[in-house]
Amino acid sequence: MAPASADPAADPVAVTSDKISDKAPRTERGRKTRQKLLDAAASEFGERGFHEASITSITQRAGTALGSFYTYFDSKDEIYRALVDHLSSRVREAARESRRSDLEALEAERVALTNFLNFAGTHKEIYRIIDECEFVDPATFRTHYESTAQRIFERLGEGARKGEVRADIEEAHAWAIMGMNVFLGLRYAVWSQERDPAEVAEIANSILRGGLLPRP
Amino acid sequence: MAPASADPAADPVAVTSDKISDKAPRTERGRKTRQKLLDAAASEFGERGFHEASITSITQRAGTALGSFYTYFDSKDEIYRALVDHLSSRVREAARESRRSDLEALEAERVALTNFLNFAGTHKEIYRIIDECEFVDPATFRTHYESTAQRIFERLGEGARKGEVRADIEEAHAWAIMGMNVFLGLRYAVWSQERDPAEVAEIANSILRGGLLPRP
C-alpha cells in the first residue's frame, strides 16, 4: 500500500475515482455500469464486511456479468479502495454547499453537518465501510480523516481571516469539530433517527457559537 | 451475543471483568496471571488484529502455559470481550479523577480529557482494539460508547444542576464531547504525540467554555 503522502487521495482536490484506475470507463454506459458496481459494493461490504464480501456477490447485486467487474476493477481490494474514495468524495460533496460565499463561517459548519447527517442517514453503510478501512487499508483510512479535517480547517481559517471566528484557530479545532460530527452521525443518523438532522446540527452549532457555560 | 440492555457492561458501575466470567481467579497469584494474559492479549490483538491473533501467541507473550489460558478464559472470543471490558474500565478510571467534587463541571471535562489523552498515548492499541470491536462484537462496541456518553452526560447534568453549565444540557452534548475527545486522542495521542496532552485538552476545553466566535 502506498504511504499516505504518495497516495492520490492525499490531495483532496485531485481525487476522483477515475484518476486512480487505468480502467476508467470511456462511455456514459460504462460510467453507469461502474457506478452500479460501486453501489452494489457499498451494500455488500456494508452488510457482510470486507472479508466475507465476494466479487460474485457484488456482480449479482449489480445485475452485471462477472466480466464487467474485471473491465473496471482488478480485485476486491481495488473496488474497496475505489468505494472508500467514492464515499469520501460524497461526504465532500455533501459539505460543498457550506462553501457558499454568503455563509458566515459557523453557519457554514451548521450546513456541512446537516448535510452530512442527511447523507449518513440514507447511507448508513458508510460508517462500517470507512471504519473497516482502518484494518483493510490503514493509509486510506488515515487519508480520509486527515483530508476531512484539512477541509474543516481551511473553512475555519477563511472565517478567521474574515473575523468571523477566533483568530487563534488551529488544526486541533478542526479535529474537535470532525469528532463531534462523526459521533453525532453515528448516534443520530446511523443507530437511530429519533432526532431531526437540523436539530442535532443546531446543538453542535450552539457549542461552536457559545460553548456550554450558563447563558448570562 | 446478548443485546446491549441485557449485557452487564450496560451498567457502568456493575462492570468488572471478574463478574463476567465464572472463571474468576480466587488468589492474588491467579489475578496476576489473568492480568498478564490480558496485557499480552492487548499487544496481540493491537498488533495483529482479532482474526490473525492466536491463543498460543497470547500465552507466549504472557510467558504462561497454554493450560493457564483455559483456567481463566474459554476462547479467543472470551478474552477479547474481557479485554474490551478491561480497557473500557481503564478509560473510566482515567476519567474518575474528574468526579472530584471540588472541580467545576467544565474543569472536570478538561481533567477527564487530559487523563484520557495520557492513557491513550501509553496504550495506543486501545483504538485498534475498540474499533475492531465494531466488527467482532457490535453489541459490546455500542455499549462502550453508550456508557461513555452516559457518564459524560451525568457529569454535565450535575454541572447544570449546580448552575455551572447551561440548563438545557442533553444527551447530544455528551456525544459531541465524546466525539471531540476520541478524535483528538486519535490525532494527538495515537498517530503523533507532537502536542502536550494538557495543551490539546485546553483547546477542546476552550471550545466548551466559549465556542469559536471572535473574543469580544
Side-chain angles (χ1 to χ4, degrees):
Chain A
M1 182 184 325
S5 58
D7 187 324
D11 178 358
V13 179
V15 174
T16 74
S17 307
D18 292 357
K19 286 181 191 161
I20 287 168
S21 166
D22 54 358
K23 293 187 157 190
R26 282 161 208 202
T27 64
E28 183 54 25
R29 193 167 158 228
R31 265 185 294 279
K32 278 189 184 154
T33 304
R34 187 178 184 280
Q35 187 56 49
K36 260 201 268 179
L37 287 163
L38 282 176
D39 291 343
S43 307
E44 174 77 358
F45 289 122
E47 284 168 29
R48 305 182 64 194
F50 179 81
H51 295 288
E52 295 294 318
S54 77
I55 290 174
T56 314
S57 177
I58 291 170
T59 55
Q60 278 166 359
R61 285 175 191 262
T64 63
L66 194 59
S68 295
F69 181 92
Y70 291 102
T71 308
Y72 302 109
F73 304 101
D74 283 326
S75 62
K76 184 166 89 167
D77 281 70
E78 198 189 311
I79 195 172
Y80 179 78
R81 260 195 296 273
L83 176 62
V84 172
D85 284 329
H86 175 65
L87 291 173
S88 232
S89 68
R90 294 289 304 268
V91 171
R92 196 156 54 241
E93 277 159 33
R96 189 159 299 155
E97 190 197 344
S98 66
R99 297 301 289 254
R100 276 165 36 203
S101 57
D102 59 323
L103 291 180
E104 288 229 344
L106 295 188
E107 194 52 29
E109 292 312 312
R110 180 216 296 272
V111 170
L113 176 53
T114 308
N115 290 353
F116 171 69
L117 293 170
N118 281 319
F119 177 74
T122 50
H123 296 78
K124 297 184 182 191
E125 72 284 359
I126 191 179
Y127 272 75
R128 188 170 168 156
I129 293 168
I130 290 184
D131 290 351
E132 194 166 18
C133 194
E134 181 176 0
F135 305 98
V136 175
D137 185 352
T140 298
F141 176 77
R142 193 163 167 155
T143 298
H144 169 73
Y145 284 119
E146 285 177 344
S147 59
T148 303
Q150 183 59 29
R151 283 198 305 280
I152 297 174
F153 183 41
E154 283 165 14
R155 292 200 297 262
L156 293 176
E158 241 174 78
R161 279 187 293 281
K162 290 186 192 161
E164 294 167 358
V165 300
R166 286 161 46 178
D168 64 350
I169 281 296
E170 52 176 299
E171 188 200 57
H173 293 104
W175 281 82
I177 291 177
M178 178 168 67
M180 285 178 33
N181 295 356
V182 169
F183 272 75
L184 290 170
L186 179 66
R187 172 68 184 79
Y188 297 105
V190 177
W191 283 351
S192 89
Q193 302 194 340
E194 72 209 34
R195 305 283 307 257
D196 183 61
E199 262 177 52
V200 175
E202 164 52 21
I203 289 173
N205 205 249
S206 80
I207 298 177
L208 299 185
R209 291 196 309 271
L212 293 178
L213 290 175
R215 301 297 164 84
Chain B
M1 180 184 328
S5 58
D7 188 324
D11 177 358
V13 178
V15 173
T16 72
S17 307
D18 292 356
K19 285 180 192 162
I20 288 167
S21 167
D22 55 359
K23 293 187 157 190
R26 283 160 207 200
T27 64
E28 183 53 27
R29 193 166 158 228
R31 266 186 293 279
K32 276 188 186 156
T33 304
R34 187 177 183 281
Q35 187 56 49
K36 259 200 267 180
L37 287 163
L38 282 176
D39 292 342
S43 306
E44 175 77 358
F45 289 123
E47 284 169 27
R48 304 182 65 195
F50 179 80
H51 296 287
E52 295 294 318
S54 78
I55 292 175
T56 315
S57 177
I58 291 171
T59 54
Q60 278 166 359
R61 285 176 192 261
T64 63
L66 194 59
S68 296
F69 181 92
Y70 290 102
T71 308
Y72 302 110
F73 305 99
D74 283 327
S75 62
K76 184 167 89 167
D77 281 70
E78 198 189 311
I79 195 172
Y80 179 77
R81 263 196 294 273
L83 176 63
V84 172
D85 284 330
H86 175 65
L87 291 174
S88 235
S89 67
R90 293 290 303 269
V91 170
R92 196 155 56 243
E93 277 160 32
R96 190 159 297 153
E97 189 198 346
S98 65
R99 296 302 288 254
R100 277 165 35 203
S101 57
D102 60 323
L103 290 180
E104 289 228 342
L106 295 189
E107 193 53 28
E109 292 312 312
R110 181 217 297 272
V111 170
L113 176 53
T114 308
N115 290 354
F116 171 69
L117 293 171
N118 281 318
F119 177 74
T122 51
H123 297 79
K124 297 185 183 190
E125 71 283 0
I126 191 176
Y127 272 75
R128 189 172 166 153
I129 292 167
I130 290 185
D131 290 351
E132 194 166 19
C133 195
E134 180 175 1
F135 306 98
V136 174
D137 185 354
T140 298
F141 176 77
R142 194 163 166 154
T143 297
H144 169 73
Y145 284 119
E146 285 177 343
S147 57
T148 303
Q150 184 58 29
R151 283 198 305 279
I152 296 174
F153 183 41
E154 284 165 13
R155 292 200 297 262
L156 292 177
E158 242 174 78
R161 280 188 292 282
K162 291 186 193 163
E164 294 168 358
V165 300
R166 286 161 46 177
D168 64 350
I169 281 297
E170 53 176 297
E171 188 199 59
H173 294 105
W175 281 81
I177 291 178
M178 178 167 67
M180 284 178 32
N181 295 356
V182 169
F183 272 76
L184 290 170
L186 180 66
R187 172 67 183 81
Y188 296 106
V190 177
W191 283 352
S192 89
Q193 301 193 341
E194 72 209 34
R195 305 283 306 255
D196 183 61
E199 261 177 53
V200 175
E202 164 53 21
I203 289 172
N205 205 249
S206 80
I207 298 176
L208 300 185
R209 291 196 310 271
L212 293 179
L213 290 176
R215 302 296 164 85

